[in-house]
Amino acid sequence: MKKEKIQIVEDDPSILTGLEDLLSGEGYAVCTATDGSEALRVYEREKPTLILLDIMIPEKSGFDVCREIRKKDARTPILMLTAKGQEVDKVVGLKLGADDYIVKPFGINELLARIRAHLRRSCAVPPEKKVTPIVFADVQIDPLSYRGRKGEKAFSVTARELALLRFLIDHEGDVVERFTLLEAVWGIRYEGTTRTLDQHIAKLRRKIEDDPSKPRFIQTVYSLGYRFHSGSGSG
């Protein structure tokens, strides 16, 4: 059975070595890079299954690397490593297409749980769901190319955005709590902030809504979560 391959992008030698030893010991194949330019070369050569990407790296930042990868690859999970308290960095990373962020210093169990969850979710969509187009109102999304259109406007979606939208559509009309969405789409129960989810919702709204500030399709249910409606409504 082919091993899942994880690319680690980290310029701190001690952290890099520790992560490499940990993940190799867990049975993953590992490839590494210590700066942004090398990260892109290694990504092209190794085609990893998941990427652990530090934000503060030489040559090109983690933001730049994430942006470049997302131009051609919407599916590979990208988990950004960020220093404690860098809230702006987290938000920017998610807007650029990162699937999640992990705050340093992090616990081994938390890191492994996040990795397993993202790998599981990236492979867990049933085959028929992978190929069935998403169509509602003037929005059409092709799950094979990860590209969509709203009227005449073209856009791309990430694997996480696609899974999130599918889950909401499958539960149309129901109020879906934030932690239910996190567990269903990210595969683990988060504790604390739901900023990751809210940022992905905001990105989806910018792509599919006529006016993201007055969402018609993905509606906010105050203090609870979100509800999808393919028809008219207020959010």
Side-chain angles (χ1 to χ4, degrees), residues 203-218:
K203 287 175 61 183
L204 271 172
R205 283 173 169 166
R206 287 195 291 271
K207 296 171 183 179
I208 68 173
E209 300 283 357
D210 296 324
D211 181 355
S213 67
K214 298 177 180 178
R216 170 187 174 191
F217 304 117
I218 303 178

Side-chain angles (χ1 to χ4, degrees), residues 7 9 11 33-42 53-54 57-62 64-65 68:
Q7 180 178 355
V9 185
D11 66 326
T34 57
D35 64 61
S37 297
E38 182 186 18
L40 292 172
R41 292 194 298 270
V42 171
L53 177 60
D54 189 27
I57 50 177
E59 300 290 338
K60 294 178 181 286
S61 72
D64 293 331
V65 173
E68 289 299 313

Side-chain angles (χ1 to χ4, degrees), residues 55 63 80-98 100-104 193 195-196 199-200:
I55 292 175
F63 296 142
M80 301 199 85
L81 305 178
T82 180
K84 186 176 181 181
Q86 291 180 318
E87 185 68 20
V88 174
D89 283 356
K90 302 170 192 174
V91 174
V92 172
L94 292 169
K95 287 181 178 179
L96 291 174
D100 199 358
Y101 60 83
I102 299 174
V103 179
K104 295 189 288 188
T193 181
R195 175 63 66 89
T196 296
Q199 286 297 323
H200 279 75

